[in-house]
Amino acid sequence: MATIRDHLLHIHGLPIIHSESYVCGLPPKHRFQMGKFRGVFNRLVRDKVIEPRQQVLEPSQISKELAGLAHSKEYVDRFFSGDTSADEQRRTGFKWTHGLCSRVRFECGGTLLAAMVCLERGLAASTGGGTHHAGPDYGSGYCLLNDLSITSSVLLSLGLVRRVLIVDLDVHQGDGTALMFNNNPSVFTFSMHCQSNFPFRKQPSDLDIGLADHVGDAEYLSTLEDALPSLLDQVRPDLVLYDAGVDPHVDDDLGKLDLTDDGLYQRDEYVLGTCVRRGVPVCSVIGGGYHKDLDILSARHSIVHRAATKVWARK
């Protein structure tokens, strides 16, 4: 059976985890831009940020057994078989389909693979992931299974890590992740988000920083720089999972913060660079981002991969 190291033999440069199966069909004019996962990858290739033959690994689907290490068995069974109720589906923003279930499983498999790769190479980036609203027995806010929680739970169960730090910089609080690891000393959850934004009933993370509306680049970056180094000192993680949501952007449809493209780039370079300089393996997922123009959104989501490429070059 091939190991992660075997798969990495042909990988040169920053490892990128991507699958065309991150995408599935949605009804016309759906608010969620499903095409962004393909758009991010195509943008990175077009701009020669990545070389697919040398850098890209394709994930497999997450299994019921692995998903059940984070979620309740009952919820996993219902979701995989399409037996969630109309009310449950309404809460997620998606109507269940076989294609939707398949893409979610590939996306969770992608985050797990990115984490396992970064344990070998120090840094890796997926073109999907960041489904932080899904809780132990429910989906919510476009999140069906929680890839960050599943990945943490799998790696802990395998004994590959002892402590995980989740750095969630999506504009929306990572409520599902916080709930799933409440009082679990092996996983430290850190969420920096817009306090007035969704979810309106928040779950306590190990560290929450709720920002006021319209915080811009300077204040945002200063707040982050005050928090992250001491967190790394305190938690001493074996792995950092970084949710690089782009919805803090000033032009995001659901944001309420005022970061620019340059602010997002500085944020991502700071988080990834700080971890790499300290020798802490880190992998990124793209998190949330909302804009009617798919090309604009795809370019914005590619910022973290551009920052990661720069950090990799300095390793």
Side-chain angles (χ1 to χ4, degrees):
M1 186 177 185
T3 66
I4 291 294
R5 288 179 182 175
D6 292 331
H7 287 301
L8 285 171
L9 289 175
H10 74 281
I11 297 298
H12 305 284
L14 172 71
I16 299 291
I17 314 304
H18 174 74
S19 173
E20 283 294 301
S21 298
Y22 284 175
V23 178
C24 73
L26 287 180
K29 298 183 179 179
H30 196 286
R31 186 170 218 170
F32 188 87
Q33 287 274 29
M34 185 63 71
K36 69 181 185 179
F37 305 106
R38 182 180 293 126
V40 169
F41 180 77
N42 289 343
R43 189 74 181 233
L44 292 169
V45 173
R46 189 193 78 185
D47 293 348
K48 302 187 186 313
V49 178
I50 65 171
E51 169 49 60
R53 288 176 295 181
Q54 295 184 10
Q55 293 180 251
V56 176
L57 288 164
E58 292 195 26
S60 56
Q61 291 182 310
I62 207 74
S63 67
K64 272 189 179 183
E65 292 71 27
L66 295 185
L69 293 176
H71 294 275
S72 72
K73 181 181 183 301
E74 293 74 19
Y75 175 67
V76 171
D77 286 341
R78 289 204 315 279
F79 175 69
F80 275 55
S81 61
D83 290 332
T84 50
S85 69
D87 284 343
E88 285 180 297
Q89 292 178 42
R90 195 174 301 112
R91 183 176 182 181
T92 69
F94 295 123
K95 183 176 180 180
W96 191 94
T97 64
H98 289 285
L100 180 69
C101 181
S102 177
R103 78 149 298 273
V104 168
R105 292 179 60 196
F106 272 109
E107 186 174 34
C108 290
T111 301
L112 176 59
L113 179 58
M116 296 183 77
V117 167
C118 88
L119 290 175
E120 291 290 333
R121 292 286 178 91
L123 179 61
S126 179
T127 58
T131 49
H132 59 172
H133 295 311
D137 55 2
Y138 62 87
S140 177
Y142 301 139
C143 303
L144 290 308
L145 296 174
N146 191 316
D147 63 312
L148 300 168
S149 295
I150 291 171
T151 294
S152 300
S153 298
V154 170
L155 296 181
L156 287 164
S157 72
L158 292 174
L160 296 177
V161 296
R162 291 181 296 177
R163 294 214 76 188
V164 178
L165 170 62
I166 296 175
V167 176
D168 189 338
L169 300 187
D170 193 282
V171 81
H172 307 107
Q173 193 226 19
D175 58 327
T177 316
L179 179 61
M180 294 171 91
F181 293 118
N182 186 29
N183 296 320
N184 184 335
S186 296
V187 181
F188 191 102
T189 54
F190 165 44
S191 178
M192 192 166 93
H193 49 268
C194 178
Q195 184 63 27
S196 71
N197 212 324
F198 179 88
F200 303 110
R201 183 178 179 182
K202 295 174 172 58
Q203 299 291 335
S205 306
D206 292 303
L207 175 62
D208 283 302
I209 299 178
L211 301 171
D213 291 9
H214 302 300
V215 164
D217 291 349
E219 182 179 350
Y220 185 100
L221 293 168
S222 175
T223 304
L224 178 60
E225 289 167 5
D226 285 343
L228 185 60
S230 59
L231 266 185
L232 291 169
D233 289 340
Q234 171 192 341
V235 178
R236 300 180 65 82
D238 302 305
L239 168 70
V240 171
L241 300 179
Y242 173 42
D243 186 337
V246 298
D247 38 16
H249 195 278
V250 62
D251 290 331
D252 191 87
D253 291 344
L254 301 178
K256 295 190 178 183
L257 296 182
D258 290 351
L259 270 66
T260 64
D261 285 357
D262 186 58
L264 289 173
Y265 185 92
Q266 290 184 59
R267 177 197 72 171
D268 296 342
E269 185 183 4
Y270 176 73
V271 172
L272 299 173
T274 299
C275 293
V276 167
R277 282 193 301 274
R278 289 170 173 247
V280 180
V282 56
C283 73
S284 64
V285 296
I286 70 170
Y290 306 90
H291 197 282
K292 294 179 180 63
D293 188 310
L294 180 59
D295 289 337
I296 290 174
L297 182 59
S298 298
R300 196 172 292 161
H301 273 303
S302 76
I303 289 172
V304 67
H305 306 87
R306 298 168 195 270
T309 297
K310 183 174 180 180
V311 171
W312 180 273
R314 293 199 305 252
K315 283 183 64 184

